[in-house]
Amino acid sequence: KHCLQLKMAKNTNIRISLPAVCFVWQIAMIILFGVFIRYDEESDTHWIEHRRKKNISTNLENDFYYRYPSFQDVHVMIFVGFGFLMTFLKRYSFGGVGFNFLIAAFGIQWALLMQGWFHHLDEHDWKIKIGVENLINADFCVASCLIAYGACLGKVSPVQLMVLTLFGVTLFAVEEYIILELLHAKDAGGSMVIHTFGAYYGLTISWVLYRPLLSQSKHLQGSVYHSDVFAMIGTLFLWMYWPSFNSAIADHGDGQHRAVINTYLALASSVLTTFAISSISQNNGKLDMVHIQNATLAGGVAMGTASEFMITPYGSLIVGFCSGIVSTFGYLFLTPFMEKTLKIQDTCGIHNLHAMPGVIGGIVGAITAASASESVYGQEGLINTFDFKDAVANRTVNIQGGYQAAALFVAIAFGLVGGALVGGILKLPIWGDPADVNCFDDDVYWEVPEEDENFLSRHPNMNHATSIPDV
Amino acid sequence: KHCLQLKMAKNTNIRISLPAVCFVWQIAMIILFGVFIRYDEESDTHWIEHRRKKNISTNLENDFYYRYPSFQDVHVMIFVGFGFLMTFLKRYSFGGVGFNFLIAAFGIQWALLMQGWFHHLDEHDWKIKIGVENLINADFCVASCLIAYGACLGKVSPVQLMVLTLFGVTLFAVEEYIILELLHAKDAGGSMVIHTFGAYYGLTISWVLYRPLLSQSKHLQGSVYHSDVFAMIGTLFLWMYWPSFNSAIADHGDGQHRAVINTYLALASSVLTTFAISSISQNNGKLDMVHIQNATLAGGVAMGTASEFMITPYGSLIVGFCSGIVSTFGYLFLTPFMEKTLKIQDTCGIHNLHAMPGVIGGIVGAITAASASESVYGQEGLINTFDFKDAVANRTVNIQGGYQAAALFVAIAFGLVGGALVGGILKLPIWGDPADVNCFDDDVYWEVPEEDENFLSRHPNMNHATSIPDV
Amino acid sequence: KHCLQLKMAKNTNIRISLPAVCFVWQIAMIILFGVFIRYDEESDTHWIEHRRKKNISTNLENDFYYRYPSFQDVHVMIFVGFGFLMTFLKRYSFGGVGFNFLIAAFGIQWALLMQGWFHHLDEHDWKIKIGVENLINADFCVASCLIAYGACLGKVSPVQLMVLTLFGVTLFAVEEYIILELLHAKDAGGSMVIHTFGAYYGLTISWVLYRPLLSQSKHLQGSVYHSDVFAMIGTLFLWMYWPSFNSAIADHGDGQHRAVINTYLALASSVLTTFAISSISQNNGKLDMVHIQNATLAGGVAMGTASEFMITPYGSLIVGFCSGIVSTFGYLFLTPFMEKTLKIQDTCGIHNLHAMPGVIGGIVGAITAASASESVYGQEGLINTFDFKDAVANRTVNIQGGYQAAALFVAIAFGLVGGALVGGILKLPIWGDPADVNCFDDDVYWEVPEEDENFLSRHPNMNHATSIPDV
C-alpha cells in the first residue's frame, strides 16, 4: 500500500476544497431558490382553481401526466446511463459513477435557476415557476456537462468537475437561449444544444489540460472483464431510453409519438453498422467492447434535432446507419490521431459519440427542415411542428433550415470558446488534480476497500497462490 | 495467450461474414422501410386534423399515452432483462449481453415489416402504418428469438444468430397471424405465440446442432460469484416489468389494469415455490442461483394468455404456484435428462422457463376462456374481453376454449418444424461457429481485456502470487 | 472447502424449515385470496358499465393511467433498489439480493390482505377489491420489512426473515390504520409509516439478537471493489425513482406533481452535503462509498411526509441539506457508538438512512402542516391537501400539526414494541441462523460457484500463481 503514495508529486488533498465548494454552492442554491423559484400553476395547490378558470375537464391535462414517464426515463439516463457507461475503466469505477452523481445533483439545481432566468422568468413577480418540464430541461442541461466529463474522466479532481459544471450549465443556458429563442431553431433532443456543445466544451477543456506524460498511468487506462459488463448497464439504459430523451419535451400528441419512432429506428440501425465496422476492423473479426458500448448510441444523438420532423421511418434508419459507421471509425482512427497530433486526450471518446453524431444531427435537422412541405406535413402540421407563429409566423422552411444551420455553429462556438476559458481556470494549480502517474486511479479520491487476506486464506480455492505451499 | 488458439480446429473468423450480413440486412431494411413503412395517423403531423375529424377531445387519447410507459418497460426487458440474464456464464458475459443486443436490434426492424405485412397492411396504398403498438409488437416478436438464443448460448456464432433471428421473426409473424387472426385466439402476453414457439424453436435448433463433445468446454459452463449477481439484474428487470409485458397490448382500461394485477400475483407466487423446491432439493437446504434466476419468472410466462381474463386473483396465485414448481423441477431433472437422453443441450434451460410454463399458460388460457360466463364478465365485458364481434360474433366460450387449445398446437408445431429447418441451415459449415473446446468462451468473438500485470504488481495486496518471492 | 464447515457450531440446515414455511404460507395466501380478494371496479370487466353509470368519458380516467408509471418505479425500488443496495458485502451479495426478493414477494401478498382488511374491506360482501393503488401500497408496506432486513443483513436465516416479514407486515397494517385513518395524519411517502417504523422495528430486532462475538466474521463485513459498484445500482435506482415513491399515492393532479418536485430537490441537495461531510471526515478528503451509497438518499426519506405540502422548493432543499449531513454523521459516529454501547449491530446503517431521516421527515411534516394557511394553499387547496372533510371537516392546521406529531410517536412505538416481540420470537433456537463465525457468508445458505481451476490454468494470464513454476 505504501508504494501507492510514492510518486504522488501533486497535492490531491481535497479535504478542505471539496466540502467548501459543496457547502458554499448548496447554500447559494438554497438562497437563490428562496428568492426565485416557485411552483408553477400545475404543481401548486391552486391548480384546482386554475382548472376551473381555464375550463380544463380533467386532472390528466396536467402536464405531469404527459411528461412524467419520459422524465423518469431521462433521469435514469443521466444517473445510471452516463454513470455506468463511465465505469468501464478497471480502477476508476467509483469515480466514474460517483462523480457523475455529484455533478449531476449539483447541476440540475443550478440549471433550474439558469434556464429559469432565461426562459421562464415571470415578468410580473420576477419568479421562476417550475413544473415537470423544467425538471426534464435541467436533466438535459446537465447532460452536456456529463458529456464533457467523459473527455476528462480520470484526469481531474471532483473540485474541478464542480467548476466545470458551474460554468458548463451557465454557458448552456445562454447558448440554449440563443438557439431556441433568438434563432427559433428546433432541437427537441439536443443534437446541437446538448451533444455538440457538451462535446466541444469537454474536448477543448481536455486540450487545455493536456498531459504529455499521461502514459505513466497507461496500465490503468484499460478495462477488465467485469468493468466492461458494468459499462454495458450504462450503454443499454441510454440506448433503451433514448426515445424518451428525444421525445420528452416534444409537442403533445403526434410530436412525442413520432420522436419515439424515429429515435427507436435510428438506434436500431446504428447497432448493426457498429457491429459491422467493429468486426471488420479487427483480426479474426473480433468485436471490440469500446465500440459496442458507445457507437451503438450514435443513432440517438444524430436523431436529436430531427426527431420531431417528418423524416420518415427509412430516413431515421439511414441516419442511424451513417452515424454508427462514423462513430466507430472515429474510435478506430480519430481518437488516436487526436491524442497524438492534436494533443486532445479524450478518455471516453466523446468526439466519436457526441461531437460527430451531434454535428450530423444538426445537419440532418437543417436539411429536413429546409425540405419540409405542406404536402407532407399538412398546413396545420407544418405550423405546429416548427412553431411558425407570432414573431416567426411568416418564416419559410428554407429560412428555417438556414437558422438551424446557424444554430449548429452557435453550439460549436460556445463549446470551443467556453471550453478554452474554463480550461484556463481549471489549469490553475489549486484544484487538487492528480499527477500523471495517478490518473485513472480511484485510490486518489476514494477509500478503496482492501482485498482481505483472512478471507482468502479461509477460502483456499479462491486464490491459488495460497495453496502453493502445499505443492 | 498462444495456448488459446491451439485446439481451434474450426475457423471462427467472422471478419467478412458478420460485417457482410449486417450491412446487407441493414441496407435491405432501409429499402423495404422506404417502400412500405409510414407513420400512422397518431404519429403523423396530420394527427390534429384526424382529431378534429374523429371528434377526439384531447391529445391524451393518442394511443401513445396509453401504451408508452408499458412499451418502455418491455423494451428494458428485451435488452437488459434478456441480455443480463444471459451474462451468468463465467466467461461469456460479453456474448450474452452483446449478441442479445445485436439480434434484438436487427429483429425489431424485420419484425415491423413482417408483422406489418400480415396485420397492418393498408389495403389502399399498400403501406404499413406504424405507431407505438407496432413497436411493442416488434419487441414481443424478437423476444421469441432471444428465448431461442438461450438454448444456443455460447455454442453459435453471431452470424448464425442473425440467421436464426431472420427466420425466427418470419416464422413468428406467420404463426402469430394464424393464431390471432385466423383462429381468433387471445394471447395478450404471448404464452403460446412468444414463449412456447420461441422455446421449441430454440430447442429444436439446439437438437439439430447437438455437440457430442461439448464437455470439452465444461470448465466454462458454470458461473462465478459476480456473474451470478450480474444475471440477477436481468432476472429482476424481467420479473418487475412482466406485468407491463402481459398488459402492454391488452385492452385500454380494465384490460390493462387486470392483466397487471394477475401477472403481479402469479410472479409473486412462483418466487415462493421456486425457493421452496430449490432448498428442498439440495444438501443442507442450500439455494441454487440457477433456480432463483429463472424459475421465479415462470409465473409471468404462465400468465401470458389468461392475463386479460377474469381468472381471479387467487387463480393467478395458483398458476404461479404450479409453474414455479414445474420450472424448478425442470432444472433439477429434465435438463440433465434432455441432455443425456434426448441430445438437447439447453444452455439457459429455456425448456424449464419458457416451454413448460408457456404450455401451462396456453392450457390455463383455454380452460379460463372455456369457463367464462356472462354472470362473471357481464354481457359487454364478455364481448370486449374476447372480441366476439364481426366474423366471430356468435362464437361461444366453449368454442373459444377449443380454438385456444388449437393455437397452442400451432405454436408448438411452428417451433418444432421451423427449428428443424433453420437448424439444418445453421448446420452448414460456413457460419464460423466455435469448436467444442471453445464454446462458452468470449475470446472467440471478442477482444477480451488482458489482466494487466503492471497494475497487479503495483497493488501487491490484490494478488498474492506476486508477493510470494518475498517469502 | 472442508475447512468451511469446521467451526459451524450451529445447525443451519433449512432443508425442511424453509420449504415448509414457503409452502404453508403460499397455500395460506391462496386460500385467503380465494375468500377475500376480488378485482375492484376499475380492473373488472364491468368497468365499461361502471363508466357509463358514473358518466366517465374516457378509459384514461381509470386510475391505472394515473398511477401505473409510478407503481413500476416503486416496484423497481423495492426489488432492484433495496436488493442491490444490499449486495455491498464482499461475500453476501446472493443473500442481499436473493432474500430481499423472497421476502418482498411474500410480503406483498400478505400486505394486500392485511391492508385490505383494514382499509378496503367492502362492507356489503366482505371482500377486498384491489386495483393498482393497492399494489403500490403493498410495495410500500413491504419496504418497511426490507428496511428492517437491512439491520439484520448477514446475521439471520431466510426462515427468520419470513417470520420478520409476516409480523412486520401485520404490525405495519395496524400502525398505518391508526396513523392514516384514526389520527388522519398525512404521510404520502411514508417518512413515519414506512421509514421510521421499519427502521426501529429492525433495530430493536437486531438489539434482541445481539451477537457479542460477531467480530469472528469481521473479515467478511466489508466490501470489495466490484461489490461496491453493484451496490451503486441499488443506490441510483432508489435515488432516481424516489420522486415516484413519494408521489405514487399522492392526490391526482397538483398533488403528484408537487410531490415529485419536492422530492427531486431534497434528494439533489442531500447528495452535496453527503459528499461534503464524507470528504471532510477522512484523511486527504477521500470519499467513503458507504456514505455515498446511503446518505445521498436521506433527502428522499425526509421528504416523505411533507412531499405533498406547499413546503416550497427552497424548503425542500433545506430538508435535503440537513438530512444528508445528519445521515453521514450517523455513519461516522452513531453506528460505531450504537454497536459498542447500545449493543445494536446495524449492518446497513438503517438508523442513519431511515430512522433519523424518517424522524426528521415526521417533524418537518408536522411543522409544515401546522404552518399551512389559506393564503398559501387557497381555500380549496387547503381542504384538498389535508382532506379536511367529513369527520375532520373542522380540523385546523394547528391541530393537524399535533396529530402529525402524534403519528410519529405511534410509528416509533410500533417499531420498538413490535421489534422487541418479534426479536424474542426470532431468538428461539429453531430458525437455522448462522454461527457468529459464519455470518455474512453466502456459503451457509447458497450453493456458491467454485472458481474453476481448469479455467485458470488454461488462461495463465488471469492468475499469476499458476505461472510461477515457469520462473
Side-chain angles (χ1 to χ4, degrees):
Chain A
K1 191 186 159 98
H2 54 281
C3 69
L4 267 179
Q5 319 289 348
L6 284 185
K7 298 195 197 164
M8 275 201 192
K10 288 195 173 185
N11 177 11
T12 59
N13 190 326
I14 51 169
R15 194 172 176 182
I16 304 302
S17 55
L18 182 61
V21 164
C22 288
F23 272 119
V24 169
W25 293 2
Q26 187 58 54
I27 291 168
M29 290 301 107
I30 292 173
I31 294 169
L32 290 168
F33 269 60
V35 177
F36 286 105
I37 307 262
R38 298 291 179 271
Y39 304 117
D40 70 9
E41 70 268 14
E42 299 190 306
S43 57
D44 190 284
T45 43
H46 291 84
W47 160 251
I48 190 166
E49 296 163 24
H50 177 80
R51 262 184 66 182
R52 198 179 306 119
K53 209 184 307 168
K54 297 271 177 125
N55 219 355
I56 297 168
S57 62
T58 161
N59 275 321
L60 283 164
E61 289 290 342
N62 194 307
D63 200 35
F64 180 78
Y65 299 102
Y66 283 97
R67 303 210 185 274
Y68 188 64
S70 311
F71 159 68
Q72 275 295 9
D73 295 349
V74 172
H75 217 41
V76 172
M77 292 174 73
I78 300 298
F79 289 89
V80 160
F82 282 104
F84 271 85
L85 190 60
M86 291 198 270
T87 59
F88 73 101
L89 289 169
K90 68 180 72 165
R91 212 62 187 172
Y92 206 72
S93 302
F94 288 8
V97 69
F99 295 149
N100 183 83
F101 192 18
L102 172 64
I103 61 181
F106 164 67
I108 53 180
Q109 298 178 57
W110 181 227
L112 284 171
L113 284 162
M114 282 300 305
Q115 295 183 314
W117 285 323
F118 276 98
H119 296 276
H120 298 100
L121 199 60
D122 189 316
E123 291 175 0
H124 299 96
D125 59 3
W126 295 96
K127 304 294 182 205
I128 301 160
K129 309 289 172 60
I130 62 170
V132 67
E133 193 169 336
N134 300 70
L135 305 188
I136 297 171
N137 276 312
D139 275 11
F140 277 4
C141 176
V142 100
S144 67
C145 298
L146 301 179
I147 292 166
Y149 177 32
C152 308
L153 185 74
K155 301 176 295 180
V156 291
S157 78
V159 184
Q160 284 178 306
L161 288 171
M162 292 292 281
V163 175
L164 178 152
T165 306
L166 179 77
F167 287 104
V169 167
T170 310
L171 289 161
F172 180 96
V174 179
E175 169 234 25
E176 184 191 39
Y177 178 73
I178 294 171
I179 290 175
L180 301 188
E181 308 278 326
L182 300 188
L183 300 181
H184 196 78
K186 301 293 286 181
D187 199 15
S191 288
M192 304 181 288
V193 171
I194 300 168
H195 296 285
T196 304
F197 162 73
Y200 285 108
Y201 180 61
L203 290 167
T204 314
I205 290 175
S206 194
W207 174 71
V208 175
L209 299 180
Y210 180 68
R211 291 168 175 269
L213 301 176
L214 190 60
S215 62
Q216 287 181 356
S217 55
K218 198 167 184 179
H219 58 289
L220 291 172
Q221 278 195 59
S223 61
V224 288
Y225 193 70
H226 66 258
S227 71
D228 270 326
V229 182
F230 276 123
M232 281 303 290
I233 299 173
T235 298
L236 288 175
F237 275 101
L238 287 171
W239 194 91
M240 296 180 302
Y241 285 156
W242 216 294
S244 295
F245 193 92
N246 284 352
S247 69
I249 57 164
D251 287 343
H252 289 177
D254 64 290
Q256 289 193 289
H257 204 152
R258 192 166 53 254
V260 162
I261 295 172
N262 290 334
T263 311
Y264 174 96
L265 293 173
L267 286 161
S269 182
S270 55
V271 172
L272 270 87
T273 50
T274 299
F275 272 81
I277 303 294
S278 183
S279 175
I280 218 168
S281 70
Q282 304 280 338
N283 217 358
N284 283 314
K286 289 190 184 186
L287 298 157
D288 189 328
M289 261 290 169
V290 172
H291 307 155
I292 311 306
Q293 282 158 9
N294 291 281
T296 50
L297 301 166
V301 176
M303 191 45 74
T305 302
S307 64
E308 267 189 289
F309 302 164
M310 293 286 282
I311 191 169
T312 74
Y314 77 93
S316 304
L317 288 182
I318 294 172
V319 170
F321 188 92
C322 298
S323 52
I325 293 173
V326 168
S327 184
T328 315
F329 272 122
Y331 280 97
L332 287 167
F333 302 114
L334 259 180
T335 300
F337 168 80
M338 284 168 62
E339 179 148 0
K340 270 192 202 148
T341 313
L342 303 182
K343 309 294 180 200
I344 299 173
Q345 291 154 332
D346 178 5
T347 313
C348 293
I350 62 166
H351 188 264
N352 315 309
L353 174 49
H354 297 282
M356 290 193 297
V359 170
I360 292 174
I363 296 169
V364 167
I367 295 171
T368 318
S371 57
S373 66
E374 273 193 18
S375 66
V376 171
Y377 284 72
Q379 197 189 354
E380 283 172 290
L382 195 65
I383 293 170
N384 284 343
T385 305
F386 294 99
D387 283 319
F388 287 153
K389 52 195 172 191
D390 304 330
V392 293
N394 297 318
R395 192 183 274 191
T396 67
V397 291
N398 282 321
I399 294 175
Q400 179 68 27
Y403 277 105
Q404 294 284 143
L408 183 58
F409 285 101
V410 171
I412 294 172
F414 262 81
L416 295 176
V417 176
L421 291 172
V422 175
I425 296 170
L426 295 179
K427 223 178 155 70
L428 298 176
I430 57 171
W431 306 114
D433 56 310
D436 293 341
V437 72
N438 294 121
C439 284
F440 313 114
D441 194 343
D442 272 334
D443 260 315
V444 179
Y445 301 115
W446 297 85
E447 297 284 334
V448 176
E450 304 273 330
E451 304 299 304
D452 187 339
E453 306 204 19
N454 288 329
F455 171 65
L456 289 161
S457 61
R458 282 189 63 251
H459 293 73
N461 61 306
M462 289 192 59
N463 192 296
H464 299 272
T466 56
S467 63
I468 282 180
D470 302 347
V471 178
Chain B
K1 192 185 159 98
H2 54 279
C3 69
L4 266 179
Q5 319 288 349
L6 286 185
K7 298 194 197 165
M8 274 200 194
K10 288 195 173 185
N11 178 11
T12 59
N13 190 326
I14 51 170
R15 194 172 176 183
I16 304 301
S17 55
L18 182 61
V21 165
C22 288
F23 272 119
V24 169
W25 292 2
Q26 187 57 54
I27 291 168
M29 289 302 108
I30 291 173
I31 295 169
L32 290 169
F33 269 59
V35 176
F36 286 105
I37 306 261
R38 298 291 179 270
Y39 303 117
D40 71 8
E41 70 268 13
E42 299 189 307
S43 57
D44 190 285
T45 43
H46 292 84
W47 160 249
I48 190 167
E49 296 163 25
H50 178 79
R51 264 184 65 184
R52 197 179 306 119
K53 209 183 307 168
K54 296 272 177 125
N55 220 355
I56 297 168
S57 63
T58 161
N59 274 321
L60 283 164
E61 289 291 342
N62 193 307
D63 200 34
F64 180 79
Y65 299 102
Y66 283 97
R67 304 210 185 273
Y68 188 63
S70 312
F71 159 67
Q72 275 295 7
D73 295 350
V74 171
H75 217 41
V76 172
M77 293 174 73
I78 299 297
F79 289 88
V80 160
F82 281 105
F84 271 85
L85 190 59
M86 291 199 269
T87 60
F88 72 101
L89 288 170
K90 68 180 72 167
R91 211 62 187 173
Y92 207 73
S93 302
F94 288 8
V97 69
F99 295 149
N100 182 83
F101 192 18
L102 172 65
I103 61 182
F106 164 67
I108 53 180
Q109 298 178 56
W110 181 227
L112 285 171
L113 283 162
M114 282 300 303
Q115 295 182 315
W117 285 322
F118 276 99
H119 295 276
H120 297 100
L121 200 60
D122 190 316
E123 291 175 1
H124 300 95
D125 59 4
W126 296 95
K127 303 294 182 203
I128 301 159
K129 310 288 170 61
I130 62 170
V132 66
E133 193 170 337
N134 300 72
L135 305 189
I136 297 171
N137 276 312
D139 274 11
F140 277 4
C141 176
V142 100
S144 67
C145 297
L146 301 179
I147 292 166
Y149 176 32
C152 308
L153 184 74
K155 301 176 295 180
V156 291
S157 76
V159 183
Q160 284 178 306
L161 288 172
M162 292 292 281
V163 175
L164 178 152
T165 305
L166 179 77
F167 287 104
V169 168
T170 310
L171 290 162
F172 180 96
V174 179
E175 168 234 27
E176 184 191 40
Y177 177 74
I178 294 171
I179 290 176
L180 301 188
E181 309 276 328
L182 301 188
L183 300 182
H184 196 79
K186 302 292 287 180
D187 199 16
S191 287
M192 305 181 289
V193 171
I194 300 168
H195 297 285
T196 305
F197 163 72
Y200 285 109
Y201 179 61
L203 290 166
T204 313
I205 290 174
S206 194
W207 174 73
V208 175
L209 300 180
Y210 180 68
R211 290 166 174 271
L213 301 176
L214 191 60
S215 62
Q216 287 181 356
S217 54
K218 197 167 186 181
H219 58 290
L220 291 172
Q221 278 194 60
S223 61
V224 288
Y225 194 69
H226 66 258
S227 71
D228 270 326
V229 183
F230 276 123
M232 281 302 290
I233 298 174
T235 299
L236 288 176
F237 274 101
L238 287 171
W239 194 91
M240 296 179 304
Y241 286 156
W242 216 295
S244 296
F245 194 92
N246 283 353
S247 68
I249 56 164
D251 287 344
H252 290 177
D254 64 289
Q256 289 193 288
H257 204 152
R258 191 166 54 254
V260 162
I261 295 172
N262 290 334
T263 311
Y264 174 97
L265 293 173
L267 285 161
S269 182
S270 55
V271 172
L272 270 86
T273 49
T274 298
F275 271 81
I277 303 295
S278 183
S279 175
I280 218 168
S281 69
Q282 304 279 338
N283 216 358
N284 283 313
K286 289 191 185 186
L287 297 158
D288 189 328
M289 260 290 168
V290 171
H291 307 155
I292 310 306
Q293 283 159 8
N294 292 281
T296 50
L297 301 166
V301 176
M303 191 44 76
T305 301
S307 63
E308 268 189 289
F309 302 164
M310 293 287 282
I311 192 169
T312 74
Y314 78 93
S316 304
L317 289 182
I318 294 172
V319 170
F321 188 93
C322 299
S323 51
I325 294 173
V326 167
S327 183
T328 316
F329 272 122
Y331 280 97
L332 286 167
F333 304 114
L334 260 180
T335 300
F337 169 80
M338 284 167 62
E339 179 148 359
K340 268 192 203 147
T341 313
L342 303 183
K343 309 294 179 201
I344 300 174
Q345 291 154 333
D346 179 5
T347 313
C348 294
I350 63 166
H351 188 263
N352 314 309
L353 174 48
H354 297 282
M356 289 193 297
V359 170
I360 292 174
I363 295 169
V364 167
I367 295 171
T368 318
S371 57
S373 67
E374 273 193 18
S375 66
V376 171
Y377 285 71
Q379 196 187 354
E380 284 173 288
L382 194 65
I383 294 171
N384 285 342
T385 304
F386 294 98
D387 283 320
F388 286 154
K389 52 194 173 191
D390 304 330
V392 294
N394 297 317
R395 192 182 274 191
T396 68
V397 292
N398 282 321
I399 294 175
Q400 178 68 26
Y403 278 104
Q404 295 284 143
L408 183 58
F409 285 101
V410 171
I412 294 172
F414 263 81
L416 294 176
V417 175
L421 291 172
V422 175
I425 296 170
L426 296 179
K427 224 178 154 71
L428 298 176
I430 57 171
W431 307 114
D433 56 312
D436 293 341
V437 72
N438 294 120
C439 284
F440 314 113
D441 195 342
D442 272 334
D443 259 315
V444 179
Y445 301 114
W446 297 86
E447 297 283 334
V448 176
E450 305 273 329
E451 303 300 302
D452 186 340
E453 305 202 22
N454 288 329
F455 172 66
L456 289 161
S457 60
R458 281 187 64 250
H459 292 73
N461 60 308
M462 289 193 60
N463 192 298
H464 299 270
T466 55
S467 63
I468 282 179
D470 301 345
V471 180
Chain C
K1 192 184 157 99
H2 55 280
C3 68
L4 267 179
Q5 320 288 347
L6 286 184
K7 297 194 196 165
M8 275 199 194
K10 287 197 173 183
N11 178 11
T12 58
N13 190 326
I14 50 170
R15 193 172 177 182
I16 304 303
S17 54
L18 182 62
V21 166
C22 288
F23 272 119
V24 170
W25 292 2
Q26 187 58 54
I27 291 167
M29 289 303 108
I30 291 173
I31 295 168
L32 290 169
F33 269 60
V35 177
F36 286 105
I37 306 262
R38 298 291 179 271
Y39 304 116
D40 70 8
E41 70 269 13
E42 299 190 306
S43 57
D44 190 284
T45 42
H46 292 84
W47 159 250
I48 190 166
E49 295 163 26
H50 177 79
R51 262 184 67 184
R52 197 180 306 120
K53 211 183 306 167
K54 297 271 177 127
N55 220 355
I56 297 168
S57 63
T58 161
N59 275 320
L60 284 164
E61 289 291 341
N62 194 306
D63 201 34
F64 180 78
Y65 299 102
Y66 283 97
R67 304 210 185 275
Y68 188 62
S70 311
F71 159 68
Q72 275 295 9
D73 295 350
V74 171
H75 217 41
V76 172
M77 293 174 72
I78 299 298
F79 290 89
V80 160
F82 281 104
F84 271 85
L85 190 60
M86 292 198 270
T87 59
F88 72 101
L89 288 170
K90 68 180 72 166
R91 212 61 188 173
Y92 207 72
S93 302
F94 289 8
V97 69
F99 295 150
N100 183 83
F101 192 18
L102 172 64
I103 61 182
F106 164 66
I108 53 180
Q109 298 178 55
W110 181 227
L112 285 171
L113 283 162
M114 282 300 303
Q115 295 183 314
W117 284 322
F118 276 98
H119 295 275
H120 298 100
L121 200 58
D122 190 315
E123 291 175 0
H124 299 95
D125 59 3
W126 296 95
K127 303 295 182 203
I128 301 160
K129 310 287 171 62
I130 62 170
V132 66
E133 193 170 338
N134 300 70
L135 306 189
I136 297 171
N137 276 311
D139 274 12
F140 278 4
C141 176
V142 100
S144 68
C145 298
L146 301 179
I147 292 166
Y149 177 31
C152 309
L153 185 74
K155 300 176 296 181
V156 291
S157 77
V159 184
Q160 284 178 306
L161 288 172
M162 294 292 281
V163 175
L164 178 153
T165 306
L166 179 76
F167 287 104
V169 167
T170 311
L171 289 161
F172 180 95
V174 179
E175 168 234 26
E176 183 191 39
Y177 178 73
I178 294 171
I179 289 176
L180 301 188
E181 310 276 327
L182 300 188
L183 300 181
H184 196 78
K186 302 292 287 182
D187 198 16
S191 288
M192 304 181 289
V193 171
I194 300 168
H195 296 285
T196 305
F197 163 72
Y200 285 109
Y201 179 60
L203 290 167
T204 314
I205 290 175
S206 195
W207 174 72
V208 175
L209 299 180
Y210 180 69
R211 289 166 175 270
L213 301 176
L214 190 60
S215 62
Q216 288 181 355
S217 54
K218 198 169 185 179
H219 57 291
L220 290 172
Q221 277 195 58
S223 60
V224 287
Y225 194 71
H226 66 258
S227 71
D228 270 326
V229 182
F230 277 124
M232 281 302 290
I233 298 173
T235 298
L236 288 176
F237 275 101
L238 287 171
W239 194 91
M240 296 179 304
Y241 286 156
W242 215 294
S244 295
F245 193 91
N246 284 352
S247 69
I249 56 163
D251 287 344
H252 289 177
D254 64 290
Q256 290 193 289
H257 204 153
R258 192 167 52 255
V260 162
I261 295 172
N262 290 334
T263 310
Y264 174 97
L265 293 173
L267 285 161
S269 182
S270 56
V271 172
L272 270 85
T273 50
T274 299
F275 272 82
I277 303 295
S278 183
S279 174
I280 218 168
S281 69
Q282 304 281 338
N283 216 358
N284 283 313
K286 290 190 184 186
L287 297 158
D288 189 328
M289 260 292 169
V290 172
H291 307 154
I292 309 306
Q293 282 159 8
N294 291 281
T296 50
L297 302 166
V301 177
M303 191 44 75
T305 302
S307 63
E308 267 190 290
F309 301 165
M310 294 285 282
I311 192 170
T312 73
Y314 77 94
S316 304
L317 289 181
I318 293 171
V319 170
F321 188 92
C322 299
S323 52
I325 294 173
V326 168
S327 184
T328 316
F329 273 121
Y331 280 97
L332 287 167
F333 303 113
L334 260 179
T335 301
F337 169 82
M338 284 168 61
E339 178 147 0
K340 270 192 203 145
T341 313
L342 303 183
K343 310 293 179 201
I344 300 173
Q345 291 154 331
D346 179 5
T347 312
C348 293
I350 63 166
H351 189 262
N352 314 308
L353 174 49
H354 297 282
M356 290 193 296
V359 170
I360 292 175
I363 295 169
V364 167
I367 294 171
T368 317
S371 58
S373 68
E374 275 194 15
S375 66
V376 172
Y377 285 72
Q379 197 188 352
E380 283 173 289
L382 194 65
I383 293 170
N384 285 343
T385 304
F386 294 98
D387 283 320
F388 286 154
K389 52 195 172 189
D390 304 330
V392 294
N394 296 317
R395 192 183 274 191
T396 67
V397 292
N398 283 320
I399 294 175
Q400 178 68 26
Y403 278 105
Q404 295 284 143
L408 182 58
F409 285 101
V410 171
I412 294 171
F414 264 80
L416 295 176
V417 176
L421 291 172
V422 176
I425 296 170
L426 295 180
K427 225 179 154 69
L428 298 176
I430 58 171
W431 305 114
D433 57 312
D436 293 342
V437 72
N438 294 119
C439 285
F440 314 113
D441 194 343
D442 272 333
D443 260 315
V444 179
Y445 301 115
W446 297 85
E447 296 284 334
V448 176
E450 304 274 329
E451 305 298 304
D452 187 337
E453 306 203 20
N454 289 329
F455 171 65
L456 289 160
S457 60
R458 281 189 63 252
H459 293 72
N461 60 308
M462 290 193 57
N463 192 296
H464 299 270
T466 56
S467 62
I468 283 180
D470 302 344
V471 179

